Amino acid sequence: MTINCKGKLIDLSTPKVMGILNVTPDSFFDGGRYKDETSILNQVKNMLDQGATFIDIGAYSSRPNAPFVSEDEELQRILPIIKLLVSNFPSINISVDTFRSTIAKATVESGAALINDISAGHLDNNMLQTIADLHVPYIMMHMRGTPQTMQTMTVYDNLVKDINFYFSERIATARALGIIDLVLDPGFGFAKTLEQNFELLNNFELLNITELPLLAGLSRKSMIYKTLDTTANNALNGTTALHMIALQKGAKILRVHDVKEAQECITLYNQLHA
């Protein structure tokens, strides 16, 4: 179970950590925290030192009801940071969190290694062909609607079956275009109620039917802090608890704000299954 990032094969049979770097002013946890080169470089160095295999950069907040961001603004936010990180960390594997093919193309050409699309190509008809042309790994997430409308679209016949059906169609479309390296993200918090998020995690192993690597994006989300009657700032312990569940049910990438704690979770999981 490997993916090819800029000519390097990354083995996902052992779970890996994807550290989050938000360069949006309004992300739910760390919005606006990394505004200058020094703070960005320090944070990325910390995440890499703590064991992150990937750094995921997003310039358009996908939290529920997030404001619209133009393509020009998204590009102006993200391109200088890609170039900064590639020049300072030449071997870095940058994942770009975008649903726009123009952003995907520009960032990969500037040194990004993979694309993380919350819409799996549904919000830009050119995305899948662009990924095929770029020959980069592609993370496809399950979502309905847009960040602005998704929380009104939470009625399912059978949550896990519907997600697997969604992925089967997306995988077939991607494969037909020649996309080789695919990772699936079931989209915790995207077009799902709090109860559905826990139903999804409880049945996470049923997503292994595709035999593709699964990504779990649970870090500090509202399913944790609302259940615990706390805040995103105080949701690290809850995040770690759910990370271990996700690993036991087959997650191969943990997308996280807190790399050290996630890596410790993976180390303990590996020891458990040594």
Side-chain angles (χ1 to χ4, degrees):
M1 190 178 279
T2 61
I3 58 172
N4 186 335
C5 290
K6 298 201 289 189
K8 297 178 295 184
L9 285 182
I10 295 174
D11 182 6
L12 297 179
S13 59
T14 300
K16 301 293 189 285
V17 174
M18 175 179 282
I20 300 167
L21 180 75
N22 282 317
V23 294
T24 57
D26 58 338
S27 285
F28 77 94
F29 172 61
D30 53 1
R33 193 173 295 186
Y34 308 111
K35 291 180 177 176
D36 58 83
E37 288 191 4
T38 301
S39 63
I40 289 168
L41 288 173
N42 285 343
Q43 174 64 0
V44 170
K45 183 179 187 304
N46 286 340
M47 290 195 288
L48 294 172
D49 288 347
Q50 290 168 358
T53 299
F54 310 99
I55 302 296
D56 192 52
I57 305 177
Y60 185 143
S61 176
S62 55
R63 63 180 173 79
N65 303 310
F68 177 83
V69 175
S70 71
E71 284 193 28
D72 283 347
E73 185 173 355
E74 186 178 355
L75 211 53
Q76 286 167 17
R77 285 178 181 178
I78 202 167
L79 269 190
I81 293 169
I82 302 278
K83 292 171 181 175
L84 174 71
L85 294 181
V86 170
S87 65
N88 281 272
F89 309 103
S91 61
I92 192 171
N93 297 309
I94 295 174
S95 162
V96 172
D97 184 354
T98 187
F99 54 81
R100 289 167 166 157
S101 59
T102 53
I103 309 294
K105 185 173 189 293
T107 54
V108 169
E109 288 173 349
S110 296
L114 61 161
I115 297 297
N116 180 10
D117 180 0
I118 60 170
S119 79
H122 281 304
L123 293 179
D124 184 335
N125 291 332
N126 296 318
M127 179 60 97
L128 291 180
Q129 185 60 60
T130 299
I131 297 297
D133 294 342
L134 293 169
H135 303 291
V136 292
Y138 184 51
I139 301 169
M140 304 195 295
M141 196 186 80
H142 174 269
M143 181 181 73
R144 289 171 161 182
T146 68
Q148 290 77 22
T149 65
M150 62 186 178
Q151 291 313 109
T152 66
M153 307 175 76
T154 59
V155 177
Y156 297 86
D157 291 331
N158 179 300
L159 179 67
V160 177
K161 279 186 179 177
D162 288 0
I163 291 172
N164 271 329
F165 181 79
Y166 171 98
F167 280 136
S168 68
E169 185 277 327
R170 290 285 84 191
I171 293 164
T173 303
R175 293 288 193 230
L177 291 170
I179 299 173
I180 296 168
D181 291 331
L182 294 170
V183 176
L184 307 184
D185 175 356
F188 289 101
F190 289 81
K192 297 165 191 79
T193 64
L194 187 148
E195 293 77 15
Q196 286 169 340
N197 285 319
F198 280 94
E199 179 186 349
L200 176 57
L201 181 58
N202 203 31
N203 293 282
F204 196 83
E205 72 277 8
L206 299 178
L207 301 172
N208 287 308
I209 189 172
T210 64
E211 298 184 348
L212 290 173
L214 299 176
L215 180 150
L218 292 157
S219 184
R220 297 182 182 267
K221 286 190 170 172
S222 63
M223 65 181 284
I224 298 168
Y225 64 78
K226 286 182 178 176
T227 300
L228 298 176
D229 192 23
T230 185
T231 63
N233 280 332
N234 293 315
L236 175 55
N237 189 49
T239 295
T240 301
L242 296 193
H243 277 161
M244 186 58 88
I245 303 293
L247 291 169
Q248 290 179 324
K249 289 177 173 286
K252 298 302 182 187
I253 300 174
L254 299 179
R255 182 180 179 273
V256 308
H257 299 92
D258 309 278
V259 171
K260 176 176 175 284
E261 290 81 357
Q263 192 60 56
E264 287 177 350
C265 201
I266 288 173
T267 299
L268 293 171
Y269 167 81
N270 289 339
Q271 185 62 37
L272 202 60
H273 295 271

